[in-house]
Every structure is written in C-alpha cells, then in structure tokens.
Amino acid sequence: MRALLVTSVGVTCAAALTLPLAAPALSAPARPPSQAAESPGSGPPSVRAAELPVAASRAAAEAAGSTQSLPLEPLTAPSDRSMGAGAAAGKGLERRTARPFSLVGVVWDDADAELHGTVQVRTRAAGSADWSGWQDVETHNAEHAADLGSDEQSSGAVRGATAPLWVGDSDGVEVRVLPEAADPQNRSAAAPLPEGLRLELVDPGPDPAPEPAADAAPEPVRAAPAGRSATTAAFAVNPAPPTTPVVLPEVLTAESEAASAVNAELAPLGATFIPALTKAETVEAANVAAGAKPYIGPRPGIVTRKGWGADERLRERQFAYTRTVKAAFVHHSATGNNYTCKQAPSVLRSIYRYHVKSSGWRDFGYNFAVDKCGNIYEGRAGGVTKAVLGAHTLGFNSNTMGIAVLGSYSSTNPPAAAVTAVSKLTAWKLGLFGANPKGRVTLTSGGSNKYKAGTKVRMNVISGHRDGFATECPGARLYKKLGTARTSSAKLQGR
C-alpha cells in the first residue's frame, strides 16, 4: 500500500496549533534533509529572532551526537586463537583508539546483500585500560526495515546493516567479521562477505536537561554496568539530577515544532512527556475510529521524542502514514541488556542515529520503544495517536505498529515491567482503532522470507516479529510472554 504523506516543512508555533490532525492527503515522496534547500531567513520566527545562521544551527545540532564510519581492512589471520587454525580470514580492525562512542554496528553498500558469517567486537571503557571480552553482534537485521518497493526502501540511501549493539561509554574498539564456511568440512572455503564493510561508532551525545516526570516508576536497585551514566534524562526513573546538568543548546526548527505539533492535542508544544490518563478520561478524550466500540485501555504516560532528545534534523521532514492500525508487532532491539534505565534515552538516540545516518532509513524504525523499567517512548515521528508507517517488520509495516523492547531476550527473561508496559501501550493504541488484543486479524504480506508478496496471513493482533518473518526476534523468552501481554491488554480495554 502506498504511504500517505503530510509535509512538515515550515510549521511555526502559531501554525502548529491549527494543524489538522485528520488523515493527510497524498503528496510527493519526502526528500532527505540534506537535499532540501535552506537559507538563513527561511526558518521559523523563533530561529530568525535569534539570528542563528543555518550553518551554526546545523553545527549545534551535530553536537548532539556523532558517527564515526571506519572502513574494515582484510585480516590476514584470525585475531584470536579461539577461532582455530585454518579458519577463513575475514575483515576487521585491530585494537585502536577512537573518539567517544556508546553503540556499534557494521554496515555495507548493498542493502540486498546478506552477511553470512559472524561479527564480533570488543571495546575499551572510556578513560581506562579495561577491554571487554568479545561480544556478538546480530548479523541478520534486514527484517527490521521498510517494505519492499516502498519509497523508503527504494530511496537509494538504504544500506545493509547488522543490528546495533550498545556497549556503553567507550573510546577503544576492535572488530572482526569472519565469513561463514561455504563447506563445513573445509573452513577455508568461505562465503564472500558483502562489499564496502564499515564499522559505525555512534555517540548519542548528552541527555536533555533533567525534568522529572510524574508517571515514572522507580528503577530496581542494581549495580550499574560500565557505560554512559553521568547525565539523567528528563523522564528518567529514580531521577537524581547532577549538580550541574548538561543542557543542550535549544535549536528551534520547523522539524522539531512539527514533531511536537502532531501530539498537540495530548500535551503542550515542546512537551517532553505525555501524561497518563485514567480509563474514564481516556474514553472521553479518545478519537475512536468510526464504528468501533469504546474498548480502550487507559492512556499510559509516554516520553516524547523531545523527551529522549531526538535530533529532528536527522530524519526526513515529512511524516508517512497508513490507513489504520490492525495489529502490533513486538520486537527486541537486540542491542544487549547492559544498560540502565537512565541510559535508555542515550540508547534510543544511538539507535535513531544508526537507523538514519548509518542504515539510510528515513527515521527511527519502530513506532514505540519500551525500556526494562517499563517506560514507554515515542518512536518514529508523526504522532502517537496516528497510524504512522514504520520500518520494523519487513512485509507487514502497513496498517500495523512496531514496539521494540530495549534489550536482547533470546536467553534472558524480559522484566515484568517491560511486559506490563507492552500491555498498557497496546490496550490504548489498539483501542483507538477498535482492535481486540486477544483477537486475530488478516494481514496482506508485502513480501518476506516467510510469506511472498500478496499472501493473506491470519495472525494474532499482538504478534511477535517472527510471526511475519523467519527470525529469532523478539527473542524466545520475550515471545513466550506475548500470551500474557494479550490477556492483560484485553482486560485493560474492558473485554
């Protein structure tokens, strides 16, 4: 299905208050921000009043994060004896110092090429001599992407990519990419690796200024792993603001105003948090789809994109929509579990930058994210109540939403708070579109390795990624909890 698009260029605070929030009309495909013309006098009044040149505002936005892209080099021999003699040589980088980063991934030129092999990294904690052990990076990530034939997939900017891995505050790295043996009996006969392999080192930048949220749940007491923890997000659980918080320079742009304006009926422009409502308040305020019974769960508190520090200059300027939301696909981010909930905003900013700058996507791929403490975050821009087209479940992005639980849950049980948050979020969002969390729905595949394009598939309204694509996602342990999420979600809707 062709996405419905609405432009967000040139929205000012005054105009944003009167933006129509109904389904938008068709428009031309969006252009990346780098292709859009700008001039010092073309910004919103807030920018013009500050007389902030475009070059300076871009530089300020770039200070919110950065990406180092390092071409991989041939490895003449395995860099670790544990790989065994006779193993095929791959590509990688020997130990080296780098500018600070917190998330890593590997990308390559051809988005249609698959990486048959293993990717492993080890990193050095910033300011120390301590190196981690080798960590595996999930190589199969193409199933988290825009549908085949969509404007986003066909843009020419999309690259092949591994899943990103959160490693915490680091300043040293070593990586090895070893090809899979084409013949199990002959390890030196290896499948070719994709062309243009590069290591991406992502620095999410500092958190926004602290500002406690009313709906935050306390974080369980645990030893904090090595990583970025010096700052506290505005909505972070168990907030403990530093004596001198790091405050990002406020760069008011049309993009940031538009990203907030689509949620203006839920919270003031520029809000960092959308407050929770009771069930009665939710039923009264909800714009329930025509003909739908008022089965809807209480609106949960949601951290906005501004709240987790999204740099709106990175994404494409227009929003993309589908017609409705018939189902929710649950994912795990596969970024690892070595993060605290105070670091979740940094994880999100890192994934966002990796999706856009490294992988070539139009925006953050998932519609929502949930951390291990049960905090819920707005994902892809376009409005939390809208049917925003995501890039989360290849073949089934149309008329669905994607929820990423931050972490890796193939062998680790998801925290109960995260499963509860999935239940609350789906009870509310699916309720807006009249969907029963315990029900089943027929979806038409846009093409995946499990269902060819055009195939009509009967699925649970709350499904796991693996239900639409042959993948481990959302991890066996999280997938087993989806039955609990369906039951709880339906109860919250009053079913």
Side-chain angles (χ1 to χ4, degrees):
M1 179 183 295
R2 183 175 177 83
L4 298 178
L5 300 172
V6 59
T7 182
S8 65
V9 178
V11 180
T12 66
C13 285
L17 290 171
T18 59
L19 279 177
L21 297 176
L26 288 170
S27 69
R31 293 190 301 172
S34 61
Q35 298 176 353
E38 293 186 39
S39 64
S42 63
S46 52
V47 175
R48 294 199 299 270
E51 297 182 352
L52 184 65
V54 171
S57 65
R58 283 176 174 168
E62 187 66 19
S66 65
T67 301
Q68 303 169 69
S69 186
L70 307 177
L72 300 192
E73 303 165 353
L75 295 176
T76 56
S79 56
D80 193 286
R81 293 181 179 180
S82 65
M83 301 308 297
K91 291 191 174 184
L93 294 173
E94 300 297 335
R95 288 190 179 188
R96 64 185 58 204
T97 296
R99 298 196 308 272
F101 63 94
S102 295
L103 180 139
V104 303
V106 171
V107 301
W108 53 93
D109 294 340
D110 186 357
D112 295 326
E114 294 187 33
L115 196 163
H116 297 286
T118 59
V119 177
Q120 295 180 312
V121 299
R122 52 184 171 192
T123 55
R124 183 181 63 206
S128 78
D130 299 329
W131 284 82
S132 71
W134 285 108
Q135 299 184 74
D136 292 322
V137 179
E138 174 57 59
T139 58
H140 297 292
N141 190 52
E143 62 268 28
H144 302 265
D147 287 343
L148 302 174
S150 65
D151 290 338
E152 183 171 0
Q153 186 69 24
S154 305
S155 67
V158 179
R159 306 178 184 94
T162 68
L165 178 69
W166 174 261
V167 294
D169 199 4
S170 306
D171 60 12
V173 67
E174 182 177 9
V175 60
R176 62 189 182 194
V177 180
L178 299 175
E180 183 179 85
D183 179 358
Q185 302 303 317
N186 181 10
R187 295 189 67 193
S188 62
L193 293 173
E195 296 292 330
L197 288 168
R198 299 184 298 283
L199 175 67
E200 303 287 287
L201 304 177
V202 181
D203 173 19
D207 285 327
E211 181 183 320
D215 197 52
E219 179 180 3
V221 177
R222 58 168 66 83
R228 186 183 305 278
S229 58
T231 57
T232 304
F235 45 84
V237 292
N238 193 21
T243 303
T244 306
V246 178
V247 180
L248 293 177
E250 184 72 13
V251 181
L252 299 176
T253 65
E255 292 84 5
S256 60
E257 289 177 359
S260 182
V262 288
N263 292 317
E265 76 275 25
L266 311 178
L269 286 171
T272 60
F273 192 76
I274 297 171
L277 297 180
T278 66
K279 184 173 177 60
E281 291 170 335
T282 302
V283 170
E284 181 180 355
N287 183 19
V288 179
K293 294 183 178 180
Y295 291 123
I296 186 170
R299 186 180 79 198
I302 302 172
V303 178
T304 66
R305 288 171 62 92
K306 182 175 177 60
W308 55 264
D311 180 356
E312 301 297 350
R313 292 174 178 267
L314 296 181
R315 64 171 175 82
E316 287 193 1
R317 295 184 176 188
Q318 295 177 326
F319 307 134
Y321 299 92
T322 57
R323 297 186 184 281
T324 187
V325 178
K326 295 181 178 180
F329 283 99
V330 178
H331 305 254
H332 66 174
S333 63
T335 45
N337 302 315
N338 190 29
Y339 75 94
T340 67
C341 294
K342 291 179 182 179
Q343 293 173 317
S346 294
V347 176
L348 288 169
R349 291 197 304 278
S350 298
I351 296 174
Y352 173 41
R353 179 171 279 274
Y354 185 75
H355 281 176
V356 177
K357 302 292 284 187
S358 301
S359 303
W361 298 2
R362 64 179 295 140
D363 193 354
F364 188 84
Y366 309 101
N367 298 104
F368 295 93
V370 171
D371 69 23
K372 63 175 70 176
C373 292
N375 296 304
I376 299 171
Y377 305 85
E378 178 185 15
R380 179 162 287 207
V384 296
T385 64
K386 313 296 190 298
V388 178
L389 176 65
H392 48 84
T393 307
L394 183 64
F396 294 95
N397 289 304
S398 291
N399 300 326
T400 69
M401 70 176 186
I403 305 168
V405 180
L406 298 181
S408 301
Y409 298 105
S410 293
S411 57
T412 301
N413 287 324
V419 178
T420 298
V422 171
S423 301
K424 290 179 178 179
L425 176 58
T426 52
W428 171 70
K429 183 62 181 279
L430 291 174
L432 290 175
F433 294 88
N436 182 352
K438 289 202 302 184
R440 292 176 66 81
V441 65
T442 299
L443 301 175
T444 302
S445 173
S448 74
N449 68 354
K450 193 169 184 177
Y451 300 105
K452 66 180 182 180
T455 303
K456 295 188 180 300
V457 186
R458 192 74 174 164
M459 292 187 181
N460 289 311
V461 168
I462 298 179
S463 286
H465 187 181
R466 64 175 61 184
D467 293 320
F469 198 99
T471 175
E472 289 295 316
C473 185
R477 299 291 184 89
L478 178 55
Y479 188 75
K480 289 180 179 178
K481 296 293 185 180
L482 295 188
T484 299
R486 294 182 193 109
T487 300
S488 298
S489 182
K491 287 182 178 178
L492 287 169
Q493 283 191 349
R495 295 183 187 272

